[in-house]
Amino acid sequence: MTKLQEKLVAVDRLKSEQKAAFDKHPDVTTIPAETLVEIKSRNEQIETLNAEIKQLEEVEAMRSTAITYTHHGTAGTKGATNAIPAPAIEFSRVARLKNFKGQVAGKSAEERAYRFGKWFKGAVVGDTVSAQWCRENGIELKAMGESTNYLGGYLVPPEFSADIIDLREQFGVARRVARVVPMAADTLAIPRRSNGLTAYFVGEASTITQSDKLWDNVQLIAKKLACLTLWSSELNEDAMISIGDDLAGEIAYAFSQKEDDCYFNGDGTSQFGGIVGVRQRLRDVDATIANIRGLQVQGTGNTYAALVLADFHGVLGRLPLYARGNAQWVMSATFFDTVAHRLQTAAGGNAVVDIANGGQLRFLGYPVTLSQVMPTTTGTSQICALLGDFRAGTVFGDRRTLALALSSDFKFAEDQLAIRGTERFDINVHSVGTTTAAGPIVGLITGA
């Protein structure tokens, strides 16, 4: 089947789907918004295909005219045609990529960056040639279920989601350390064991005291996070790989930074979408900090300079045994270098970097994860370092992955495109202990 025939068949199929949609809803005022988006999308595809069919028919007509042409380069051969194939994309002729890495599903990092750039130009910007390229190369152009593409945006196709998630995990910490669960709806309740059975000594023929295993729910309610950025309207085809690489990195960084801020520093206000993070949840256990079993109060002062190794041993001593198997420290790079690293090297005999595990930083025998949303300057009553099994104490609900929308009107005079990214997620820090028992996450707090 030729390209022309394929497109004609595709148009017939789309028209048949359109007819079926309208037959199902004779009264157009009752068409659901999601169905209306699908109808509009099919109509756009039909228009694009019709334009391409017309172009192919014109080319076919020109071919018919030239079929009797004798190519002088091949003596005595009539009707010969020398079709010049489109030049292959030379993925190696680009600047070094910063964000897309390695080989995934048989595609190099350069090819994935190029495909992401083409998807963005075709789906979000609305370039019909790029959109058709995406369709012919198996890239989804899926609009969100809202009344218009401008309002709803386009969901990033699954083939790029893995790269975006990897980037967010590279830039951020929350998705790396928390238990991440997909949310099929806007709310999700996850069962949590809140209390176990109790054993009692009993005498002969005595009644055994009954105990019950208790459960409660960890509630997740999806919040919408959005970012807005500007991009030059000069989306040069030659720079498509760099465009895809840079765009993916910028979006991933913006979202991961905010996710981390909510995860560690959220105080329940609108600035954090109502999310209460790990540090605040620890403080909320009791108004009197000394009563909180999960916090080790600095015993030698209230500044970073006054911290001693015994303060960190005190944190370690508060961590329950069940949380030690997957425990790790979380602190800022500044705090690690100027406090923890300094104390560890001064003590001697400690491995700061685990070479066998890819250069993993370690402190007092446990791996260290650096997060720059954690405190970087000294302060009083400040939770400056955390230790624990974060998967056991927190859950990260992923409702919807990245969606992009675009406006060419917002910065019309500057000839720039406004790109809006959105995602939906929630974070629940559900286990930080009480005044009588520490939970799976503990921390060090400076003196008042």
Side-chain angles (χ1 to χ4, degrees):
M1 185 181 290
T2 65
K3 283 285 185 186
L4 178 58
Q5 290 171 327
E6 289 176 357
K7 294 182 186 298
L8 289 169
V9 170
V11 168
D12 287 342
R13 176 180 54 79
L14 289 168
K15 287 181 176 179
S16 177
E17 292 174 358
Q18 292 289 70
K19 184 177 183 303
F22 283 113
D23 288 345
K24 188 175 180 180
H25 303 282
D27 183 359
V28 295
T29 61
T30 64
I31 298 177
E34 186 173 352
T35 303
L36 189 59
V37 168
E38 294 172 354
I39 290 172
K40 289 181 178 179
S41 177
R42 279 194 294 268
N43 193 59
E44 292 172 358
Q45 292 179 53
I46 291 171
E47 290 177 354
T48 300
L49 286 169
N50 281 336
E52 291 166 353
I53 287 169
K54 182 179 179 182
Q55 185 179 25
L56 285 172
E57 288 175 337
E58 291 173 353
V59 172
E60 190 63 26
M62 288 186 284
R63 178 181 177 278
S64 298
T65 302
I67 200 72
T68 57
Y69 169 72
T70 301
H71 181 35
H72 298 291
T74 307
T77 305
K78 290 192 174 184
T81 58
N82 277 2
I84 302 175
I89 303 165
E90 296 186 34
F91 294 119
S92 61
R93 290 170 53 184
V94 295
R96 184 178 179 181
L97 296 179
K98 295 182 295 182
N99 300 302
F100 286 88
K101 303 290 183 184
Q103 192 93 355
V104 176
K107 296 182 177 67
S108 67
E110 292 80 8
E111 183 177 357
R112 299 199 316 279
Y114 181 85
R115 289 170 68 86
F116 184 70
K118 290 292 282 186
W119 169 81
F120 173 74
K121 191 174 180 181
V124 184
V125 179
D127 179 67
T128 55
V129 175
S130 295
Q132 185 57 33
W133 187 93
C134 289
R135 294 187 187 99
E136 291 176 352
N137 287 274
I139 300 176
E140 295 181 32
L141 303 176
K142 185 178 180 181
M144 289 176 60
E146 295 188 27
S147 56
T148 65
N149 290 337
Y150 173 76
L151 294 175
Y154 280 85
L155 293 173
V156 173
E159 77 164 271
F160 305 122
S161 293
D163 279 305
I164 296 294
I165 291 171
D166 284 346
L167 285 171
R168 282 191 298 197
E169 290 185 352
Q170 172 187 331
F171 295 137
V173 172
R175 287 176 179 267
R176 264 187 279 161
V177 301
R179 176 190 174 197
V180 180
V181 297
M183 298 176 65
D186 288 346
T187 61
L188 177 65
I190 302 173
R192 177 184 63 164
R193 175 184 175 276
S194 61
N195 198 10
L197 303 179
T198 303
Y200 299 92
F201 287 106
V202 294
E204 186 175 350
S206 300
T207 302
I208 301 174
T209 304
Q210 179 182 328
S211 63
D212 296 307
K213 188 174 184 179
L214 301 180
W215 299 84
D216 61 9
N217 285 326
V218 174
Q219 189 79 9
L220 291 169
I221 302 174
K223 280 99 175 159
K224 187 174 183 178
L225 181 65
C227 69
L228 185 70
T229 187
L230 300 177
W231 204 273
S232 169
S233 63
E234 300 296 325
L235 296 176
N236 192 324
E237 183 70 25
D238 294 336
M240 194 56 64
I241 295 177
S242 297
I243 289 169
D245 183 51
D246 192 42
L247 181 63
E250 287 296 322
I251 292 167
Y253 180 77
F255 281 122
S256 64
Q257 187 178 44
K258 192 63 177 180
E259 289 171 0
D260 278 10
D261 205 15
C262 292
Y263 184 82
F264 291 108
N265 302 324
D267 59 9
T269 63
S270 59
Q271 177 185 350
F272 300 98
I275 294 170
V276 180
V278 176
R279 296 170 70 225
Q280 186 63 47
R281 285 280 285 119
L282 278 166
R283 294 185 69 101
D284 289 345
V285 170
D286 196 273
T288 303
I289 299 300
N291 292 341
I292 303 173
R293 291 297 301 161
L295 283 180
Q296 170 68 30
V297 182
Q298 179 183 357
T300 55
N302 58 11
T303 65
Y304 288 175
L307 283 165
V308 296
L309 208 53
D311 294 322
F312 293 94
H313 281 293
V315 177
L316 187 55
R318 289 175 181 261
L319 187 66
L321 189 61
Y322 69 82
R324 298 192 177 206
N326 296 306
Q328 60 184 299
W329 293 94
V330 174
M331 58 188 75
S332 70
T334 304
F335 185 85
F336 175 76
D337 289 333
T338 61
V339 182
H341 190 182
R342 172 177 58 82
L343 293 172
Q344 185 164 226
T345 52
N350 294 296
V352 177
V353 178
D354 186 354
I355 303 297
N357 287 307
Q360 170 70 59
L361 296 175
R362 300 191 75 84
F363 181 53
L364 299 183
Y366 288 91
V368 177
T369 296
L370 303 178
S371 173
Q372 286 306 90
V373 302
M374 289 289 287
T376 58
T377 57
T378 191
T380 58
S381 299
Q382 178 194 90
I383 301 176
C384 47
L386 298 167
L387 172 67
D389 182 352
F390 294 87
R391 288 178 58 85
T394 65
V395 62
F396 188 114
D398 202 346
R399 173 67 178 100
R400 175 176 55 71
T401 187
L402 178 66
L404 296 179
L406 176 138
S407 171
S408 57
D409 302 324
F410 182 63
K411 287 289 184 179
F412 175 79
E414 290 85 353
D415 195 24
Q416 290 180 315
L417 304 172
I419 303 168
R420 184 192 69 205
T422 61
E423 68 169 6
R424 299 184 70 191
F425 73 99
D426 192 20
I427 293 168
N428 190 318
V429 181
H430 55 79
S431 298
V432 290
T434 64
T435 56
T436 57
I441 303 170
V442 297
L444 173 63
I445 186 168
T446 55

